[in-house]
Amino acid sequence: MAAQPPLIYPFGDAAIAEAAAIIGAGGIVAVPTETVYGLAADARNAQAVAQIYAAKGRPSFNPLIVHVTDLAAAEAIATLNDDARMLAERFWPGPLTLVLPLRTEAEIAALVTAGLDTIALRVPAHRAMRALIAATGAPLAAPSANASNGISPTRAEHVAKSLGARVPLIIDDGATEAGLESTIVAGRTMLRPGPVTAEMLGEMLPIVPGTTAHVSAPGQLATHYAPSKPLRLNATRAEADEWLIGFGAVTGDDTLSSDGDLVEAAARLFDALHRADTSLAARIAVAPISEMGVGVAINDRLRRAAHR
């Protein structure tokens, strides 16, 4: 049987209620923001976030932007210094993402932050995204709702064409206003230009363009979080000094998925690496992972970690 195309609902109470039910059940939906359409999931649910990567065919686990309703909600997840608070008070709600230190008590899935100790946060202005956050009561991770390396979607039909049946529901509220991904700022560095321009930021703080030595936000290309211990890939058994992360038929000290489920494996990946890194073993080994679907992203992440 052919896969069913996504449902496209016009913005309204019924659309928000249906989308909130899907997210509450651990699913994903497409929703407009003032920048582009986003592919949203509960940022606290690793399995749901893994579905974002699977749907997009994302080549690596870049950190995702998390959308919250207001500054208070952001402060419950991250620590804002005076600079960050000044920018938030000026540009939120709006198309500015701030990369901030993640609070240890925040219940954000490690997959969202790509295992980093920072998180990218934004308070959106768009009525549909704000309504969905309110209806779910959840922080929503939401990268652009298109296949990886495709053109970012600014209309519901763009999402449907790019993702098809991989997204069950699209909320249609017309063309997005900005049509360009949000500006990303970490400290006083602009990591990605966007609708909030350098000139606008400069009226508040001395902001410089640049990148970081590792990926701390979406849209950067570099090495992700890597464990402190040597990591061996495609291992079918553990050596004497290794902590083995299993998959499928390969069992170990931990497992990404005993059933060989790639979405489950993606959801567990960063937590498993952290457990391995804090174990008493001197080295880490990881079982072979299938190179298909979201397995491509898992293997990309593991290769980066192994070649730190």
Side-chain angles (χ1 to χ4, degrees), residues 61-64 99-102 108-120 212 214-218 220 223-226 270 274 301:
F61 292 126
N62 293 326
L64 303 179
V99 179
L100 303 163
L102 179 66
I108 299 296
L111 194 58
V112 169
T113 63
L116 300 171
D117 58 4
T118 55
I119 187 168
T212 58
H214 59 274
V215 170
S216 59
Q220 295 176 283
T223 302
H224 299 306
Y225 162 85
F270 290 107
H274 278 293
R301 173 61 187 85

Side-chain angles (χ1 to χ4, degrees), residues 79-147:
T79 302
L80 283 74
N81 62 16
D82 290 343
D83 285 357
R85 190 169 290 103
M86 184 185 304
L87 293 176
E89 289 173 348
R90 168 66 178 82
F91 295 108
W92 281 356
L96 175 67
T97 295
L98 296 176
V99 179
L100 303 163
L102 179 66
R103 291 188 182 275
T104 55
E105 67 272 20
E107 297 179 351
I108 299 296
L111 194 58
V112 169
T113 63
L116 300 171
D117 58 4
T118 55
I119 187 168
L121 286 177
R122 184 164 89 85
V123 174
H126 196 284
R127 63 179 184 174
M129 179 59 101
R130 292 187 64 80
L132 187 58
I133 295 169
T136 59
L140 298 181
S144 58
N146 57 279

Side-chain angles (χ1 to χ4, degrees), residues 5-10 14-20 22 28-31 38-39 159 164-172:
L7 297 173
I8 301 178
Y9 285 2
I16 294 299
E18 181 67 20
I22 291 171
I28 58 175
V29 300
V31 56
L39 191 58
V159 180
R166 286 175 282 176
V167 57
L169 173 65
I170 304 168
I171 299 175
D172 185 358

Side-chain angles (χ1 to χ4, degrees), residues 54 59 61 262-263 265-266 289-303:
F61 292 126
L262 289 169
V263 172
I289 308 295
S290 307
E291 281 277 1
M292 60 183 186
V294 76
V296 174
I298 295 170
N299 281 301
D300 172 88
R301 173 61 187 85
L302 288 170
R303 282 190 290 268

